[in-house]
Amino acid sequence: MNTTVFPAFRTTDVDRTIALLEALGFTEHLLIRNPEDSSVVEHAEFSHLRGGVMFGSARGDASELDRQVGSSSCYIVVDNDDEVDASFTRAVDAGATVVDKPNDKPYGGRGAAVRDHDGNVWSIGSYAGA
């Protein structure tokens, strides 16, 4: 992975997060589980086209990342309008809730958004920026 900016967050349910990321087209790059409790992820990196995210399990350690579980958002650029619809459908099938159904945007491209089990919003779009 050759990315220099990684949205980072913590999650209360790593397996649900991984299922959603895979539904959105992310692939596992690195996954380090706690050797004493495999439900806890110490650090993970998942890649998507030219970007990626880093995450780990919520730890109850009063860190800033733990304090803000569920308050993140991320915009995922996909290759075309059809992939917006397909990614949205896969995300909802993986348990995400609908924030914004797929629709054409006035600034170009197509977009949609879902919310994960922690409350994070994942926007999907074919608009790659100006």
Side-chain angles (χ1 to χ4, degrees):
M1 186 181 313
N2 188 17
T3 300
T4 57
V5 177
F6 291 90
F9 59 96
R10 289 196 180 163
T11 178
T12 60
D13 188 330
V14 193
D15 293 326
R16 287 176 70 184
T17 297
I18 290 171
L20 176 62
L21 290 174
E22 289 173 344
L24 289 170
F26 285 81
T27 56
E28 179 183 316
H29 182 71
L30 175 69
L31 181 65
I32 302 172
R33 290 189 181 265
N34 183 299
E36 296 168 10
D37 181 355
S38 64
S39 70
V40 175
V41 167
E42 300 295 340
H43 180 76
E45 297 175 19
F46 275 61
S47 58
H48 188 279
L49 299 176
R50 296 163 300 279
V53 296
M54 292 183 183
F55 67 94
S57 296
R59 296 176 174 86
D61 61 5
S63 74
E64 191 65 19
L65 285 174
D66 256 19
R67 189 178 73 76
Q68 296 184 12
V69 169
S71 64
S72 297
S73 64
C74 186
Y75 178 68
I76 304 159
V77 177
V78 297
D79 287 332
N80 56 58
D81 292 349
D82 290 340
E83 186 56 28
V84 171
D85 294 6
S87 295
F88 173 83
T89 299
R90 289 191 307 267
V92 171
D93 289 348
T97 58
V98 175
V99 172
D100 186 26
K101 292 181 180 178
N103 62 88
D104 295 330
K105 299 298 182 183
Y107 47 81
R110 188 162 175 79
V114 296
R115 186 178 316 277
D116 70 17
H117 61 280
D118 283 322
N120 300 307
V121 174
W122 298 86
S123 298
I124 311 150
S126 59
Y127 178 72

